[in-house]
Amino acid sequence: MSDRAFLSEFITEPLYLIKEELPASNEYKEEAVEQEPAVVKEPEVKVELKPIFTSGDNLKGCIILVDWQNGEVSAEKELLLKILGSVKRTETDVLIAHTHDSSSEQMEALLAEQNHKHVLDFGTSKIPNLQPADFYKITANGPKKSLKAHPLSEIATDTEKKKMLWNALKEMFL
């Protein structure tokens, strides 16, 4: 058998050739072009965060969170400065943030924009990862350390809380 002879045995049904009608040369067939779905962008809403009132220069990378409602409470600030002095810090070495009316977004922005190694939370409960932490136990997040303490008004009147705070601050700073 020749090379093509087997083809007649391969297909036994009759074959038909259907010729298509071709369009005239000046006409053309427009193919349906599949369009991509339109992407609708939502308008970007610029979120304006009111800055948290702070004092101090944060020279040593320490943020202190206090819950002072109407500005500073002089007795509590005096106690805070004594506490800072005991660990060789001054008001210019730290950043004191008045967090009474602040939102979680404002707190995140403050912590993100301020270079810090330490955070001391005096009864504000504004930092989510410090809420489940025990009082006066240092919580580390990489090189950053945080400490949850009672409000300064409670520490001023309770000797036991002062001792626990002093021990935690020695471990954190000294």
Side-chain angles (χ1 to χ4, degrees):
M1 266 201 228
S2 71
D3 290 341
R4 295 184 187 180
F6 75 93
L7 288 176
S8 64
E9 301 297 323
F10 186 66
I11 301 174
T12 57
E13 289 99 29
L15 295 177
Y16 300 99
L17 179 61
I18 302 173
K19 289 188 177 184
E20 278 189 48
E21 289 186 30
L22 296 175
S25 62
N26 57 1
E27 294 180 24
Y28 64 94
K29 194 179 204 180
E30 192 171 315
E31 294 182 20
V33 177
E34 201 174 302
Q35 295 181 357
E36 292 184 24
V39 177
V40 177
K41 291 185 180 180
E42 292 185 29
E44 292 183 21
V45 178
K46 188 172 182 178
V47 177
E48 293 286 333
L49 291 177
K50 180 179 141 191
I52 297 174
F53 178 76
T54 59
S55 60
D57 297 325
N58 196 23
L59 295 178
K60 294 196 177 178
C62 181
I63 297 175
I64 298 175
L65 307 176
V66 292
D67 193 16
W68 294 337
Q69 295 179 5
N70 299 322
E72 299 169 352
V73 178
S74 61
E76 290 183 13
K77 184 171 183 178
E78 187 176 316
L79 175 63
L80 179 60
L81 293 177
K82 285 181 183 177
I83 292 169
L84 292 174
S86 70
V87 289
K88 299 177 176 71
R89 300 287 191 275
T90 63
E91 189 173 359
T92 57
D93 294 335
V94 299
L95 183 76
I96 302 171
H98 304 238
T99 63
H100 176 66
D101 290 329
S102 63
S103 66
S104 59
E105 291 85 11
Q106 288 173 305
M107 289 304 302
E108 287 177 23
L110 174 76
L111 294 175
E113 82 180 23
Q114 294 294 327
N115 183 22
H116 66 284
K117 295 181 276 185
H118 304 102
V119 175
L120 301 176
D121 183 354
F122 285 103
T124 65
S125 301
K126 297 284 184 172
I127 301 176
N129 61 348
L130 271 183
Q131 288 176 354
D134 294 331
F135 285 101
Y136 309 106
K137 299 289 182 198
I138 296 172
T139 305
N141 184 8
K144 297 181 181 189
K145 296 179 181 178
S146 302
L147 178 67
K148 178 181 174 182
H150 289 96
L152 288 167
S153 58
E154 289 181 30
I155 293 171
T157 59
D158 191 341
T159 308
E160 189 62 34
K161 290 178 182 172
K162 285 181 185 177
K163 288 179 186 177
M164 290 189 300
L165 176 63
W166 169 241
N167 290 329
L169 290 175
K170 282 194 304 187
E171 184 182 336
M172 185 178 241
F173 292 110
L174 303 177

